[in-house]
Structure formats: structure tokens, C-alpha cells
Amino acid sequence: MNLMITMGIMLIILSTVVMMIASILSKKSIIDREKMSPFECGFDPFATARIPFSLRFFLIAVIFLIFDVEIALLLPMMMVMSVSQVNTWMVVSSIFILILLLGLYYEWYQGALEWTN
């Protein structure tokens, strides 16, 4: 038991020392305005480096990601059908698909699926 505690303490000390050495060696000593500015072929940027991002595009991407995860949850339902009772499987999968459809209709009703206004 003592050996395990000693090894644990040594591992914590060793990892702390390695992290401290890495953080000391990784520090940049010279902070230069040109190095801190956005890269544009070595020239000063003509306009702002931050272009406005379309919120509609972001919402469509998030909705796509959510429905992609839902598809990943729907696919194993066919594998589970053979090892579960048919009635239970039907009720659970029907409720799950109903919740997904209600979410889809709600997004449609709110206008989140329309690309342009």
C-alpha cells in the first residue's frame, strides 16, 4: 500500500514538473505588433480581419448537427428490436420519433429552417 502511495506522489510531482518546464519553454519572449496582427501576406490588413458571420448559417448548422445525432440514435433501434419485446420496442420508438417530429415541426413553425426571409 505504501508503495502505491509513493508511486502516486512521484507521478504527480513528475507530471507537475514536466508541465511547468513546458509552460516556461513555450512562452514567447518578444510580443511584436506584426506577429500579433492577423496574417495577410505580410501587409497590414485592408479591412477588419473579423468578417461578420451569418447567424442563419450557424442555426442551420446546429440544427443539422442535432438531427445528425438523432439519426445516430435511431440506427441502433433496428438491432435492439430482435432482443426486446415488440410491443415495448414499438412504444419506445414511436415516442422517440414523435418527439423528433414535434421538434422538427417546431423549428419549421419558428422559421429556423428558412434560409432567406
Side-chain angles (χ1 to χ4, degrees), residues 45-111:
F46 294 119
T48 179
R50 305 278 184 207
I51 57 173
F53 188 72
S54 171
L55 188 59
R56 281 276 189 215
F57 177 75
F58 177 73
L59 289 175
I60 294 291
V62 168
I63 291 170
F64 173 76
L65 181 66
I66 290 170
F67 282 116
D68 195 35
V69 170
E70 291 168 354
I71 293 297
L73 292 174
L74 280 173
L75 288 176
M77 288 178 114
M78 296 302 140
M79 301 293 273
V80 173
M81 186 174 71
S82 62
V83 294
S84 64
Q85 294 179 355
V86 176
N87 291 337
T88 307
W89 181 84
M90 279 297 261
V91 169
V92 169
S93 39
S94 298
I95 291 172
F96 186 70
I97 291 173
L98 180 68
I99 290 171
L100 295 182
L101 285 175
L102 288 174
L104 176 65
Y105 290 140
Y106 180 75
E107 293 291 334
W108 193 359
Y109 177 75
Q110 292 294 319

Side-chain angles (χ1 to χ4, degrees), residues 56 110-117:
R56 281 276 189 215
Q110 292 294 319
L113 298 178
E114 294 179 15
W115 187 253
T116 60
N117 288 338

Side-chain angles (χ1 to χ4, degrees), residues 7-23:
M7 291 297 285
I9 292 172
M10 287 177 59
L11 281 173
I12 290 172
I13 291 172
L14 181 65
S15 62
T16 305
V17 168
V18 169
M19 286 190 305
M20 287 174 37
I21 290 172
S23 68

